[in-house]
Amino acid sequence: MEVFVARQPILNVNDEVYAYELLYRNSEENRFVPIDANQATSEVLMNSFVTIGLERLSQNKPCFINFTEDLLFEKVPEYFNPQQLVVEILEHVSFSLDLIRVCRELKRKGYLIALDDVIDLDRASLYELLPYVDILKVDIRAVTKENRLKIIRLTEDFNLTLLAEKVETREEHHQCKVEGFELFQGFYYSKPLIVKGLEIPFYTGTYFQIIKELSASEEEVNIEKVTEILEQDVALTYKLLRLINSSQYRFKVPVQSIKQAVMLLGTESLKKWLYVLSVEQTAPVSSSKTQLILKTSLLRAKMCEQIAIRIRTKAKADGFFLTGFMSLIDVITQKPVGEVIDLLPLDTAIKEALLGTENIYRQILDLVIGMEKADFEILESHLIVGGVGFTEIFEIYGQAIAWTDQLYQEHFTESAT
């Protein structure tokens, strides 16, 4: 399924791109379709940071994203790298004490905060919030001349950056520069540009199983069980790895297993992202082609794991499971394997294996693919790895098929109930 995000550049006084504002779109038609604000922001977050990626969407420049009160109170912005995200507070959000506390914490952690569509200074609570604000976005087509002058004076008092939005003519651009605006956005520079990507569907059943496991207190969460559930869904695992790579916690430790990925992210961050996914409104996998690819990924994962156990390799079996599990990720995402793997925080040896480099992970993966294709020449040349015989490989293959079929039966039984 294709997903869409619109981006509009924000320029500085030198006409250089300072940042992009990311906007909700549900098709290639460049207009906003009314939708729940929480869902719109959640889709923009997931589509931008996970599905499309900021390296493609904004060339890793900062991104302005609108946040609702609900998402702010859930502390969703805190998951992202403060160098990549500007938290834009919508004009209708109430400047309550709770919101001020949230903004104070965001500011302490290094986030830039922008107020959207500022046209007057009538809200008394605004002055309580301003110490934690960095940028005022002024709607130059809606603000009166009198209020415009007040806002300009205010920014000097609070050391705020002025951003002129909805600039449509050269004259407006020049006037805003004369008045001291430092950032600029509007049709005069560029209309929003649609960028699209391919969403990877995941099982609603898997999602709710993880939610159930994470509903326990942090001390009682069973990491082994959460890992076991994720090992049933390559799409959620891929999203998890992308989240780790795009979050403010970009880990230097390469991931060697799904369990390690869960532990690196942490249960609280995982809960936060599952909340965003729930708002985004997930749907079960329906395409028969997608089901076949995901099923094959599971089969390969289990076979790689079991072969690694049989040959008693020094590398952990979890790494072989992950290698088999991710071996069709280029087919699932419909992107070149090198481009996809480069965006995931995987262990170097696993990355190399997925790219075709000969190592123990690749040898076992090739053995599994040979069995999958019934290519006995490949099988014979690879069975020397660790001394696994034909009888053992056929036994492992049969067990992996049974395991995969059972998982599928459980998933679709749950989806039907």
Side-chain angles (χ1 to χ4, degrees), residues 11-15 118 135-141 143-145 147-153 155-156 160-167 172-185 189:
L11 307 182
N12 61 21
V13 290
N14 298 317
D15 295 332
V118 178
I135 300 168
L136 291 186
K137 297 186 69 177
V138 181
D139 183 342
I140 66 163
R141 311 195 78 76
V143 67
T144 65
K145 184 177 181 179
N147 282 334
R148 189 160 164 161
L149 292 173
K150 288 181 180 178
I151 291 168
I152 291 170
R153 286 196 294 269
T155 57
E156 294 171 355
L160 302 170
T161 297
L162 276 176
L163 188 160
E165 59 179 342
K166 300 184 182 176
V167 180
E172 289 172 345
H173 170 72
H174 177 72
Q175 181 63 31
C176 289
K177 287 184 74 172
V178 169
E179 292 175 346
F181 284 83
E182 299 175 58
L183 299 172
F184 310 87
Q185 179 181 5
Y189 316 102

Side-chain angles (χ1 to χ4, degrees), residues 36 40 91 107 116 131 165 170 179 196 219-220 270 283 286 292 364:
D36 174 76
E91 64 276 11
K107 181 81 170 178
D116 191 28
E165 59 179 342
R170 179 187 294 271
E179 292 175 346
K196 63 182 180 180
E219 298 77 19
E220 295 175 346
L270 189 54
S286 56
L292 178 61
I364 289 183

Side-chain angles (χ1 to χ4, degrees), residues 61-87:
K61 291 186 181 296
C63 295
F64 284 61
I65 295 180
N66 293 324
F67 279 87
T68 63
E69 280 183 280
D70 290 342
L71 295 177
L72 287 168
F73 291 153
E74 288 289 335
K75 299 185 178 181
V76 170
E78 292 184 17
Y79 184 80
F80 297 95
N81 187 331
Q83 303 304 313
Q84 296 178 324
L85 175 69
V86 178
V87 179

Side-chain angles (χ1 to χ4, degrees), residues 297-313:
S297 298
L298 283 166
L299 184 62
R300 288 185 179 185
K302 197 63 177 176
M303 284 194 70
C304 286
E305 174 196 67
Q306 291 304 307
I307 292 171
I309 290 171
R310 295 289 180 98
I311 67 174
R312 295 188 175 90
T313 174

Side-chain angles (χ1 to χ4, degrees), residues 230-232 258 297-298 300-302 304-305 316-326 403:
L230 275 168
E231 287 177 347
Q232 302 170 19
I258 296 174
S297 298
L298 283 166
R300 288 185 179 185
K302 197 63 177 176
C304 286
E305 174 196 67
K316 291 183 178 179
D318 288 347
F320 291 90
F321 185 98
L322 186 56
T323 303
F325 205 43
M326 304 302 292
W403 178 80

